[in-house]
Amino acid sequence: MMTNKNGGTFDLALLKTSITVKLTGGMEPSGTPTVGLLGCNTVIGEMKLNMYAFSANWLLERFTNTIENAVKPSLEAEICEYVKSTRASVAKKLAEGTNVNITESNTLYVNLGLTAAPTFGEGFLETKHKGEVTWANDSRRVKYSPPRFTSIPASPKMICAYLSKYVVNTMLFAMYNNKNLSGVFTKDDFSNKNRNLLDTNCKGNPLCISAMIPGLSAAYPNHAVEFEVNATEVPVMDISSGAFAVTYGVRVGIRVRDVKGRVTIVGEYSVNGNATGTLRVKGDKLFLTVTSFPLNKVGVADKTVPKEPLDELTDLQGFLQTVADQYLVARLNELGTKGVAMPIPVKGLMLSEPSLVTYEKAGYLICVNVLYLDA
């Protein structure tokens, strides 16, 4: 209902109205989606005009059809002009949507730039996206390209994402370059039954750190051993037929902590190797099991570090291999058996009814329905 400045009001209803818009979808070299408008046509089948409280209402009613016929083409043109004016804002939204934050800390983003122009089908729009994981404000990029799809299984879900080694490796690349592939493994990272194995006073178990390095107990009684691990090169993962292999290079610092929290470094070592395992899908979760963690090369990284208790080690690589097998692999598998819920939550979206299947023996296809949340 609209109000006239002299107090009159009127209702205007549009009946049997159709709006036909012809769009083209494309992409810029950067992968940013583009939208082109080929045409717009609005047809208003019928208009119904009712006027109230005009001083000359009796006269205007006689010309209702004339007014309707005069207003109709103007409204049809205005509707299409509005559609044209929104094209720029739609393109801007599409461009903004190619870099999506996937962490609450606003550090990791996924680049959803197109790898091919969109294609229109009967009742659907198909788009193929890059899926590169990047770090906020970091312009460094991996040198390899995303995989090309051969065919995608039919799915009733709105979006299907291919989780391939490209996605994983771009994330590892971004995390390494921003010093996020490091950590300290302490007794608190292990289950209750294995937690005391890293105490220098541990006894009665051949896996006690004190049994492996007897001199450590004498030099540092009532201490807990910790392992500080920092990546020295970008890890690379390969995925094939439900299995994975990761090559890595790390610097391992062995340190002890007393009851007052004071830390002493007793050894610094460089380690290169590879880890292999299996990936299993059950329901909407991805489960990981590490089957081997061989250390291919071990060396002393810092000869200036006081390491007298470790001098008695005649087989340094064997010792670190035992540590990796008994402590690290056990911890990784403890986490892996809990499974990772897929898909990973994306800020601003609600992903519902996920399904996860093996795809082309080299990755996983995650299909979901999507609800957009208000900002």
Side-chain angles (χ1 to χ4, degrees):
M1 180 179 288
M2 301 183 67
T3 305
N4 179 271
K5 66 180 181 179
N6 294 321
T9 62
F10 65 88
D11 291 331
L12 180 63
L14 305 181
L15 308 174
K16 300 179 181 178
T17 300
S18 66
I19 302 173
T20 304
V21 179
K22 294 182 179 180
L23 300 173
T24 59
M27 60 174 286
E28 296 178 357
S30 63
T32 301
T34 59
V35 179
L37 180 64
L38 294 179
C40 175
N41 183 47
T42 303
V43 177
I44 300 175
E46 296 180 16
M47 292 182 64
K48 187 174 179 62
L49 178 65
N50 294 313
M51 293 172 288
Y52 312 95
F54 284 96
S55 56
N57 191 52
W58 61 274
L59 180 61
L60 290 173
E61 287 180 350
R62 296 176 181 272
F63 295 98
T64 296
N65 289 338
T66 303
I67 295 172
E68 290 174 351
N69 291 334
V71 170
K72 186 185 296 184
S74 297
L75 277 178
E76 291 173 339
E78 284 295 326
I79 290 173
C80 277
E81 283 299 318
Y82 175 77
V83 171
K84 293 176 183 178
S85 68
T86 60
R87 183 173 65 89
S89 62
V90 170
K92 182 180 178 182
K93 285 288 186 184
L94 289 174
E96 292 173 349
T98 59
N99 205 33
V100 179
N101 173 37
I102 57 174
T103 56
E104 290 297 329
S105 58
N106 297 320
T107 52
L108 282 177
Y109 289 76
V110 59
N111 182 348
L112 297 179
L114 298 177
T115 59
T119 57
F120 292 85
E122 189 66 34
F124 69 90
L125 170 67
E126 181 177 284
T127 59
K128 297 176 181 178
H129 301 264
K130 195 172 184 181
E132 179 184 12
V133 179
T134 61
W135 197 269
N137 303 316
D138 188 349
S139 60
R140 290 170 290 186
R141 296 291 183 270
V142 294
K143 296 180 180 179
Y144 40 91
S145 302
R148 299 290 178 179
F149 296 98
T150 53
S151 62
I152 299 177
S155 173
K157 306 292 177 63
M158 292 175 64
I159 291 178
C160 286
Y162 178 34
L163 179 64
S164 68
K165 62 182 180 182
Y166 174 82
V167 177
V168 175
N169 285 327
T170 57
M171 182 172 66
L172 292 173
F173 179 86
M175 294 178 70
Y176 171 79
N177 282 324
N178 290 275
K179 305 185 186 308
N180 254 254
L181 288 180
S182 61
V184 177
F185 294 90
T186 72
K187 58 187 297 183
D188 293 332
D189 291 314
F190 299 96
S191 61
N192 289 332
K193 70 175 184 177
N194 294 324
R195 190 165 295 176
N196 70 320
L197 296 178
L198 291 181
D199 290 334
T200 57
N201 291 347
C202 175
K203 296 179 180 180
N205 189 326
L207 295 179
C208 286
I209 199 74
S210 56
M212 295 182 190
I213 317 175
L216 203 60
S217 296
Y220 300 100
N222 300 312
H223 282 62
V225 176
E226 301 176 349
F227 300 93
E228 183 177 3
V229 180
N230 293 281
T232 55
E233 60 185 55
V234 181
V236 178
M237 174 179 277
D238 188 32
I239 300 174
S240 179
S241 300
F244 71 87
V246 182
T247 58
Y248 64 87
V250 296
R251 183 181 178 116
V252 179
I254 300 178
R255 63 194 202 183
V256 291
R257 182 184 297 271
D258 67 15
V259 292
K260 294 183 178 180
R262 292 172 297 196
V263 172
T264 302
I265 298 175
V266 296
E268 290 274 0
Y269 305 98
S270 61
V271 178
N272 293 85
N274 62 284
T276 60
T278 59
L279 296 168
R280 181 173 57 90
V281 175
K282 185 177 181 180
D284 63 349
K285 284 189 175 183
L286 185 65
F287 296 88
L288 173 149
T289 302
V290 178
T291 55
S292 67
F293 206 99
L295 310 184
N296 299 333
K297 184 179 179 181
V298 175
V300 177
D302 190 346
K303 296 182 180 180
T304 65
V305 175
K307 55 183 186 310
E308 290 79 5
L310 301 185
D311 285 342
E312 62 192 81
L313 285 173
T314 57
D315 184 6
L316 175 62
Q317 183 163 336
F319 162 69
L320 291 177
Q321 184 67 68
T322 301
V323 170
D325 292 341
Q326 300 298 331
Y327 300 143
L328 181 58
V329 172
R331 176 56 177 164
L332 290 175
N333 286 337
E334 187 178 313
L335 296 173
T337 55
K338 296 179 180 179
V340 179
M342 303 297 290
I344 297 171
V346 177
K347 188 176 181 180
L349 300 177
M350 179 181 291
L351 307 177
S352 63
E353 302 173 327
S355 62
L356 185 65
V357 295
T358 304
Y359 174 62
E360 291 193 344
K361 297 182 179 180
Y364 295 90
L365 200 65
I366 308 163
C367 295
V368 296
N369 288 325
V370 179
L371 295 175
Y372 291 88
L373 306 178
D374 293 334

